[in-house]
Amino acid sequence: MHGTVSPQTRASIGTPVEFTPSQTDVAASLIEARRERNRRFSGRSNVFSDPAWDILIDLLDGSLKGVAVSIKSACIASGVPYTTALRYVGLLEDLGMISRVPDLTDGRRVHLKLTADGLFEVHEYVVWLEERERRSTVKGSGSGLAR
């Protein structure tokens, strides 16, 4: 079981979050499942909508691929109107989960990225999913997300 670790404790540890290959596979499955769910239920987005999570997932995907994610791209990934998505970007910034990073090649553009705290929290969720998958496999059910 994983407990909650305060940002102060994480900062004092100073260890960057790194995904193992199996955790990267779990994260990729999570991203793929989320995008498939959004595709399948796109006509019902007023019911099946979680813009903050979709933004975090998009930033995780960019982080794992080493690709910068523009604010516009993250807003599109959220699946809600642009102004609504920008409110969620602001909320995630206020929570310290994401930050804005100026594009050094184009001063008009700004990218978003997961902060160390945001990446830590998403990583802990992926670790939990991986452990859940491992327990399911050991029990013989084999019905985990990473399949």
Side-chain angles (χ1 to χ4, degrees):
M1 289 291 228
H2 290 279
T4 303
V5 179
S6 72
Q8 295 82 10
T9 303
R10 284 195 296 267
S12 69
I13 295 170
T15 308
V17 171
E18 291 189 29
F19 285 75
T20 65
S22 64
Q23 291 166 354
T24 301
D25 290 345
V26 171
S29 292
L30 174 67
I31 293 163
E32 181 182 11
R34 183 60 180 203
R35 289 185 175 154
E36 181 63 15
R37 190 206 82 169
N38 289 351
R39 186 188 68 75
R40 288 179 182 265
F41 295 97
S42 64
R44 297 175 178 91
S45 62
N46 59 331
V47 176
F48 295 100
S49 178
D50 192 357
W53 185 243
D54 288 327
I55 291 169
L56 289 176
I57 290 295
D58 194 47
L59 296 179
L60 174 62
D61 190 34
S63 177
L64 291 173
K65 292 177 179 174
V67 175
V69 178
S70 69
I71 289 181
K72 182 178 181 178
S73 175
C75 287
I76 290 168
S78 74
V80 294
Y82 194 74
T83 54
T84 303
L86 286 175
R87 280 195 299 276
Y88 280 97
V89 166
L91 290 170
L92 290 167
E93 281 182 295
D94 291 346
L95 291 170
M97 296 187 78
I98 68 172
S99 63
R100 295 175 191 240
V101 179
D103 183 335
L104 300 177
T105 62
D106 184 346
R108 299 167 296 171
R109 190 171 38 206
V110 176
H111 297 289
L112 294 175
K113 71 172 194 162
L114 291 167
T115 62
D117 285 344
L119 186 58
F120 179 86
E121 291 183 51
V122 172
H123 180 260
E124 287 297 291
Y125 181 64
V126 169
V127 167
W128 178 84
L129 287 172
E130 182 183 38
E131 289 173 357
R132 181 179 175 274
E133 169 69 14
R134 194 174 301 126
R135 285 190 310 268
S136 294
T137 302
V138 169
K139 289 180 181 178
S141 69
S143 61
L145 178 65
R147 295 207 180 272

